[in-house]
Amino acid sequence: MRAVVTGGAGFIGSHLVDAVLDRGWSVVVVDDFSSGLTENVTRYAGEPRFEFIEADICGDWTVEGPVDLVLNFASPASPPRFLERPLETLEVGSTGVKKVAEMAIEKGARLVQASTSEVYGEPQVHPQPEEYWGNVNPIGPRSVYDESKRYAEALLGAYHRLGLLDVGVVRIFNTYGPRLQATDGRVVSNFVHQALSGKPLTVYGTGRQTRSFCYVGDLVRGILALADLEGELGPVNLGNPQEITVLELAQVVGDLTGVSVSLEYSDLPTDDPTQRKPDISRARALLGWEPEVSLREGLLRTIEWYSANALPADAV
Ligand code: UDP
């Protein structure tokens, strides 16, 4: 078996590469390092089942030979990263997805698309089941990410219904773990890095907004379970339903790092969702999947990884 992982130098992509190689498969990574890291590719140097193509998925690139599965995980994903590159984010979620789909059609491969809980926008239904249509502000700054992911779902859903391509869509809720870059700008990477560096933890808004954080190992298991379920489009929510406020997260990070943390408040970003929690009934029923790693355990593993890996001096 041979898989293509676009965005394989990124956070979730690189964990997918590990999991695919662990299955004994070969893997081809397509990435342009626009947000991924070279070390996530050089890590596999000398591995004969690993190939790398340096390319923007929106540009010209080809994969030689047979492909059984395509995992499309190329996109800026954290709010600061997609907000600083709005046009590229729209392009990768539209032109890029189409190019990846055309490659999968040519190869006769199943394609699993990384979608997002951001398709629910500022949710009026809580927790969010897949049937909920969402409440996205189509003209706000976050729309570049939210709407391109919604477009990708629409495009790939059309291919699937036309019988042109076998697609599975995963809607990924907030995910964290080793390899989440300290400069990524997400709350877990910021808080862990800040606590370990003796800096105040930056809380946006009141800190009473909620999120539900899933450990990356659990997420990857769910993605591959949907990949294995040929013919199933989904979409399927993948996330950990354990919901906490940002302030509670700051407290837990303080406890686990053994640091008495101070907080520094600043403005809430525009259209930052007030609450978010996945309804994972569909993932349970279809995939027999649910998260196994608690927030404390996952954070401990993440803190350990941050402590063992040099942190860039200019990080948050
Ligand atoms: N957040 C925060 N401090 C930070 C980074 C993020 O308070 O240093 C908040 C952010 O406003 C949001 C939540 O934490 O309410 C999760 O943000 P993140 O960027 O991790 O993911 P999002 O769910 O917004 O995509």
Side-chain angles (χ1 to χ4, degrees), residues 1 41 63 70 86 90 101 204 208 221 234 255 271:
M1 295 287 278
V41 168
V63 177
V70 178
L90 284 161
Y204 302 161
R208 284 196 282 273
R221 196 165 41 78
D255 287 352
D271 295 336

Side-chain angles (χ1 to χ4, degrees), residues 10-274:
F11 167 52
I12 295 173
S14 70
H15 284 281
L16 279 169
V17 170
D18 285 355
V20 167
L21 288 172
D22 280 349
R23 287 182 159 199
W25 298 11
S26 300
V27 65
V28 182
V29 164
V30 183
D31 203 298
D32 67 351
F33 298 123
S34 54
S35 51
L37 294 177
T38 50
E39 68 202 50
N40 285 338
V41 168
T42 53
R43 161 177 305 117
Y44 307 106
E47 167 55 64
R49 289 181 291 119
F50 180 85
E51 293 163 71
F52 176 63
I53 297 170
E54 184 167 350
D56 172 355
I57 59 162
C58 304
D60 287 325
W61 53 280
T62 47
V63 177
E64 305 291 340
V67 174
D68 304 287
L69 174 67
V70 178
L71 301 166
N72 190 26
F73 281 71
S75 177
S78 73
R81 293 279 167 94
F82 63 67
L83 291 173
E84 75 199 9
R85 281 181 296 155
L87 297 178
E88 292 89 338
T89 300
L90 284 161
E91 190 70 3
V92 83
S94 51
T95 308
V97 172
K98 189 153 189 280
K99 290 214 167 193
V100 173
E102 283 165 356
M103 183 272 287
I105 289 169
E106 185 206 317
K107 303 291 184 186
R110 176 160 163 82
L111 185 154
V112 172
Q113 170 67 24
S115 189
T116 170
S117 56
E118 285 278 327
V119 301
Y120 302 120
E122 169 67 33
Q124 306 296 300
V125 172
H126 193 75
Q128 294 80 54
E130 291 86 349
E131 294 80 12
Y132 177 48
W133 290 1
N135 182 33
V136 168
N137 174 0
I139 54 169
R142 281 175 104 98
S143 65
V144 297
Y145 186 70
D146 303 4
E147 297 290 15
S148 67
K149 290 291 187 181
R150 289 171 70 102
Y151 170 79
E153 287 200 22
L155 176 73
L156 296 174
Y159 279 128
H160 185 91
R161 284 184 287 270
L162 288 167
L164 297 171
L165 175 61
D166 182 12
V167 176
V169 172
V170 286
R171 290 187 178 156
I172 300 170
F173 285 64
N174 296 63
T175 303
Y176 70 97
R179 299 186 198 155
L180 186 56
Q181 293 174 43
T183 52
D184 192 71
R186 276 182 256 216
V187 69
V188 172
S189 45
N190 279 3
F191 281 5
V192 170
H193 180 65
Q194 288 159 346
L196 293 176
S197 325
K199 294 181 184 166
L201 273 50
T202 52
V203 174
Y204 302 161
T206 62
R208 284 196 282 273
Q209 67 272 33
T210 69
R211 292 294 186 273
S212 307
F213 296 99
C214 185
Y215 186 68
V216 66
D218 281 333
L219 178 82
V220 160
R221 196 165 41 78
I223 293 166
L224 291 184
L226 184 64
D228 290 340
L229 202 59
E230 287 180 14
E232 179 57 57
L233 174 63
V236 180
N237 285 340
L238 292 179
N240 190 322
Q242 189 191 345
E243 180 185 16
I244 67 166
T245 67
V246 165
L247 283 177
E248 287 164 343
L249 178 70
Q251 187 65 51
V252 178
V253 169
D255 287 352
L256 297 179
T257 50
V259 172
S260 120
V261 293
S262 60
L263 304 179
E264 187 179 281
Y265 286 87
S266 58
D267 289 345
L268 191 69
T270 307
D271 295 336
D272 192 291
T274 313

